Amino acid sequence: MTTTKIPKVHPRAESLRVREKVKEGYTEGIIVEQGLIAHGRGEAFDYLLGELTIPEATVAIKVAAAALLLAKNPIISVNGNVATLTPKEIVKIAKSVGAKIEVNLFHRTHKRENAIMEKLKSFGAKNVLGVGKEASLDMKGLESSRRWVDPKGIMIADTVLVPLEDGDRTAELRKVGKTVITIDLNPLSRTAQTASITIVDNVVRAMPLLLEEVKILRKIDQNILEDIIKRFDNKVNLGKSLGYIVKRLEKVSAIRVNAR
Ligand code: PTJ
């Protein structure tokens, strides 16, 4: 496998380093070809954000941490891209909030499920659900392979963290009363629009921040956590996230026009 040397001074070095990671995930059989394209779409939105965690994402991360800590039965749903980009954080967040971990793939193959499970186990996960025959229950209302879930996992969870995915599932999970937390760079995506809590950010930045927030809020009273959630409106926060992009583009374009 060839690894490209990324010059430290390259203005977009971090983004290029993440690309190398994505390429590794593909070589390891964890990320599917379509995942490379999905990553490119994410990069484009990240560019619009300025490749940083915007204030609206910081707010949503706090709410997400509170929701995970208050959940009776939380779970983290993992696909190829997230398993490659943030395996350490998946395992640590799961441990910190007592969440289960389930592999749930759009492009499902047993080989990929196994590769993802092994990756997570190499980062300390004890039990990974949803692999092979374990994903035996049909979550009605879905056409894709994502409908196969583990009876011990997503099916009975009250709160599901679905970092980065296609939009077919979030609405169905909401319909059956689950709290859905997502991390999606595209504030316009179906997942972003239908989740209970949407963090408009790159998983590589948001997952470590979510872990830190969980550690902070763990020490806080339950009624304060409930209050954090009550005061949050996802539609409003999504609107503000889009507003952030609009303002940023207006600012950049004004600089260009004035420089002429
Ligand atoms: O591993 P599988 O088989 O379950 O397949 C996973 C992919 C990602 C291929 C599948 O879920 C898919 O096709 O997703 P979409 O429809 O391309 O949606 C992915 C969403 O994630 C898009 O809205 C992207 O903008 C967003 N995205 C991509 N990379 C990141 C991201 N959001 C946050 N952080 C990223 N690094």
Side-chain angles (χ1 to χ4, degrees):
M1 182 179 48
T2 58
T3 306
T4 310
K5 194 170 176 330
I6 299 160
K8 279 202 186 95
V9 291
H10 193 290
R12 305 197 52 258
E14 184 50 29
S15 175
L16 296 181
R17 271 195 289 273
V18 174
R19 258 193 206 180
E20 289 299 311
K21 236 185 182 182
V22 168
K23 194 190 81 178
E24 270 169 43
Y26 174 68
T27 315
E28 288 169 13
I30 290 177
I31 292 190
V32 72
E33 283 92 340
Q34 291 87 336
L36 305 177
I37 300 167
H39 184 76
R41 185 191 295 170
E43 276 188 352
F45 277 97
D46 210 6
Y47 213 93
L48 297 179
L49 291 174
E51 295 175 318
L52 49 78
T53 300
I54 64 174
E56 291 72 19
T58 306
V59 169
I61 286 168
K62 188 171 184 179
V63 180
L68 285 168
L69 286 164
L70 285 176
K72 296 217 160 23
N73 207 348
I75 192 155
I76 306 180
S77 176
V78 179
N79 66 18
N81 288 50
V82 190
T84 296
L85 292 176
T86 61
K88 185 175 88 190
E89 287 78 12
I90 292 169
V91 175
K92 286 197 166 180
I93 292 171
K95 279 191 182 149
S96 302
V97 301
K100 293 172 188 158
I101 301 174
E102 178 164 343
V103 179
N104 182 277
L105 303 179
F106 188 80
H107 307 279
R108 193 186 285 258
T109 66
H110 193 38
K111 208 169 161 203
R112 284 187 69 222
E113 286 173 347
N114 260 323
I116 292 170
M117 178 177 71
E118 291 308 326
K119 176 92 176 181
L120 295 170
K121 286 195 167 167
S122 74
F123 279 86
K126 293 274 171 293
N127 197 13
V128 178
L129 304 175
V131 177
K133 290 196 186 101
E134 302 293 314
S136 58
L137 274 188
D138 188 345
M139 216 186 86
K140 303 282 180 235
L142 279 185
E143 298 287 324
S144 78
S145 299
R146 286 208 195 281
R147 70 179 188 272
W148 297 109
V149 293
D150 197 310
K152 302 184 290 302
I154 290 171
M155 204 66 184
I156 55 163
D158 57 353
T159 302
V160 191
L161 171 61
V162 284
L164 186 177
E165 75 162 36
D166 50 327
D168 66 334
R169 192 164 55 128
T170 301
E172 292 307 318
L173 292 171
R174 292 290 316 269
K175 267 190 211 158
V176 292
K178 297 183 197 296
T179 298
V180 181
I181 302 164
T182 194
I183 305 168
D184 193 331
L185 278 161
N186 177 5
L188 298 168
S189 80
R190 247 189 320 157
T191 299
Q193 293 285 330
T194 50
S196 323
I197 302 160
T198 305
I199 300 163
V200 179
D201 199 8
N202 198 320
V203 291
V204 300
R205 294 189 298 267
M207 288 290 277
L209 291 172
L210 182 57
L211 176 62
E212 287 315 305
E213 199 60 51
V214 161
K215 285 183 191 160
I216 296 168
L217 293 190
R218 217 169 26 190
K219 300 170 199 132
I220 305 267
D221 254 22
Q222 186 164 328
N223 37 4
I224 297 176
L225 298 183
E226 283 163 1
D227 202 48
I228 290 173
I229 296 170
K230 249 187 249 153
R231 282 188 279 119
F232 179 73
D233 183 323
N234 202 43
K235 287 274 176 243
V236 171
N237 204 53
L238 265 176
K240 286 186 185 168
S241 306
L242 271 170
Y244 181 96
I245 294 176
V246 171
K247 268 194 216 129
R248 181 164 184 271
L249 293 181
E250 276 173 359
K251 206 165 148 190
V252 174
S253 51
I255 293 168
R256 300 270 147 81
V257 170
N258 291 336
R260 285 177 119 197

